[in-house]
């Protein structure tokens, strides 16, 4: 994330410097937008073209590539913008050196000036931004072909999951359609079980027992 932000900032700063460079003096007090694009291939002349036929158009195109690359997080587009800007700058230096005999840097403004530095510096910033940007996938690496949309292969039934589920793919051991039994919601202490009574401690008759009065012959007659 930090690499994307820093790379995008450098790329946009480089694009701004490249667009600004044609409005600065390039050589001997001549603005960069006073050089025609075709002069970079045929030779430097003293003519002054319009904005759409000067090197300004090439740098606007490079800046547009850089902005699109930042929006899409495309390192390729940002790098292409830097290469275009640097290529036109170097090509201008070659043609200007042929026309002037040599390229010099003088303090009185008779040699190379800040416009060329803006263009070259903007190209370097865009190339550095492309290097720092990590791209769409965050780590700078694209997934191998055929791996982006492949789903994760779930394990077979020989390695079933345990119950309760552990968020891992695979079939579960629980195969019954009935719901899993829930634990008893009672959370109090376990009830105390009374000891079982012995047989001799239990009542053997529901009524009181009358004492034995002996045999019937010994009893006095009742009147």
């Amino acid at each position: 994330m930090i690499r994307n932000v820093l790379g995008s900032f450098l790329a946009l700063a480089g694009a701004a410097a490249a667009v600004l460079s044609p409005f600065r003096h390039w050589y001997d007090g001549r603005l960069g937008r006073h050089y025609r694009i075709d002069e970079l291939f045929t030779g430097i002349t003293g003519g002054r073209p319009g904005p759409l036929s000067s090197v300004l158009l090439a740098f606007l195109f490079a800046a547009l590539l850089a902005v699109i690359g930042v929006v899409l997080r495309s390192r390729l587009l940002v790098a292409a913008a830097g290469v275009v800007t640097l290529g036109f700058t170097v090509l201008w230096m070659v043609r200007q050196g042929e026309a002037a005999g040599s390229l010099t840097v003088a303090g009185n403004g008779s040699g190379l000036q800040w416009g060329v530095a803006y263009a070259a510096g903007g190209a370097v910033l865009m190339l550095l931004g492309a290097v720092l940007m990590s791209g769409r996938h965050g780590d700078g690496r694209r997934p191998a072909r055929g791996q982006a949309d492949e789903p994760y292969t779930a394990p077979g039934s020989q390695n079933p999951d345990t119950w309760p589920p552990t968020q891992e793919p695979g079939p579960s051991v629980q195969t019954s359609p009935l719901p899993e039994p829930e634990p008893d919601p009672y959370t109090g202490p376990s009830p105390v079980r009374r000891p079982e009574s012995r047989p001799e401690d239990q009542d053997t008759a529901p009524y009181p027992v009358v004492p034995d009065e002996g045999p019937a012959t010994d009893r006095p007659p009742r009147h």
Side-chain angles (χ1 to χ4, degrees):
M1 182 63 181
I2 298 178
R3 291 184 58 185
N4 272 329
V5 173
L6 183 58
S8 301
F9 175 78
L10 292 178
L12 294 177
V19 173
L20 185 62
S21 65
F23 298 94
R24 295 292 185 267
H25 295 101
W26 280 37
Y27 198 83
D28 285 340
R30 187 176 180 180
L31 297 177
R33 60 188 176 89
H34 291 165
Y35 293 94
R36 296 178 60 90
I37 294 181
D38 56 357
E39 290 179 356
L40 304 183
F41 303 95
T42 59
I44 301 298
T45 64
R48 294 195 175 186
L52 296 182
S53 58
S54 67
V55 295
L56 174 62
L57 182 63
F59 289 160
L60 285 175
F61 174 73
L64 181 62
L65 281 181
V67 172
I68 295 176
V70 169
V71 172
L72 299 180
R73 288 194 296 176
S74 173
R75 303 172 64 185
L76 181 61
L77 290 179
V78 176
V83 170
V84 168
T85 304
L86 185 61
F88 274 95
T89 304
V90 172
L91 187 58
W92 173 88
M93 295 176 68
V94 171
R95 294 306 180 186
Q96 183 63 43
E98 292 177 353
S102 64
L103 294 177
T104 60
V105 179
N108 58 0
S110 60
L112 293 173
Q113 294 182 307
W114 284 106
V116 182
Y118 275 51
V124 172
L125 288 178
M126 284 186 279
L127 292 176
L128 287 177
V131 172
L132 290 177
M133 290 176 63
S134 57
R136 292 188 176 184
H137 299 281
D139 56 356
R141 297 177 296 176
R142 294 179 178 269
R145 185 183 298 273
Q147 295 182 358
D149 298 328
E150 288 186 358
Y152 179 80
T153 303
S157 58
Q158 67 275 12
N159 296 319
D161 196 2
T162 58
W163 185 267
T166 58
Q167 305 300 328
E168 294 292 336
S172 174
V173 175
Q174 183 69 18
T175 57
S176 174
L178 299 178
E180 186 72 9
E182 298 182 358
D184 189 1
Y186 178 74
T187 58
S190 301
V192 179
R193 299 183 59 184
R194 300 179 61 185
E196 295 181 359
S197 58
R198 293 176 296 180
E200 57 270 17
D201 297 336
Q202 297 179 356
D203 296 335
T204 56
Y207 302 102
V209 179
V210 179
D212 191 5
E213 297 180 356
T217 55
D218 297 336
R219 298 176 184 175
R222 295 182 180 179
H223 299 281

